[in-house]
Amino acid sequence: MPQDLLKATLEHVAASGPRDIYEGDLARSIAADVKAAGGTLSPEDLAAFRAHVREPLAIPYRGGRSTRRRN
């Protein structure tokens, strides 16, 4: 992603709130970009998405512990 576009996107999310990624102008823009690239993601698909917060995976390594987010 070009840095100027990334900056504008982050500013938009800061001003509009994170739900805009799933239900607002940004969701429609994401869906349009995916469709233009041959994909099938729709604004309705994004609106239906719900994130699930989980505990990170803990991995013991050389006497310590590192954490890694699960996908």
Side-chain angles (χ1 to χ4, degrees), residues 14-37:
S16 301
R19 283 307 306 166
D20 195 66
I21 296 169
Y22 307 103
E23 298 173 352
D25 293 336
L26 195 50
R28 288 184 288 280
S29 177
I30 291 168
D33 288 348
V34 169
K35 186 174 182 177

Side-chain angles (χ1 to χ4, degrees), residues 9-58:
T9 300
L10 293 174
E11 288 172 344
H12 182 89
V13 171
S16 301
R19 283 307 306 166
D20 195 66
I21 296 169
Y22 307 103
E23 298 173 352
D25 293 336
L26 195 50
R28 288 184 288 280
S29 177
I30 291 168
D33 288 348
V34 169
K35 186 174 182 177
T40 60
L41 184 71
S42 72
E44 294 77 22
D45 294 329
L46 289 167
F49 178 79
R50 297 293 178 262
H52 300 279
V53 177
R54 296 196 168 105
E55 290 296 317
L57 179 64

Side-chain angles (χ1 to χ4, degrees), residues 1-11:
M1 177 180 286
Q3 293 300 303
D4 57 335
L5 185 55
L6 175 59
K7 179 183 179 214
T9 300
L10 293 174
E11 288 172 344

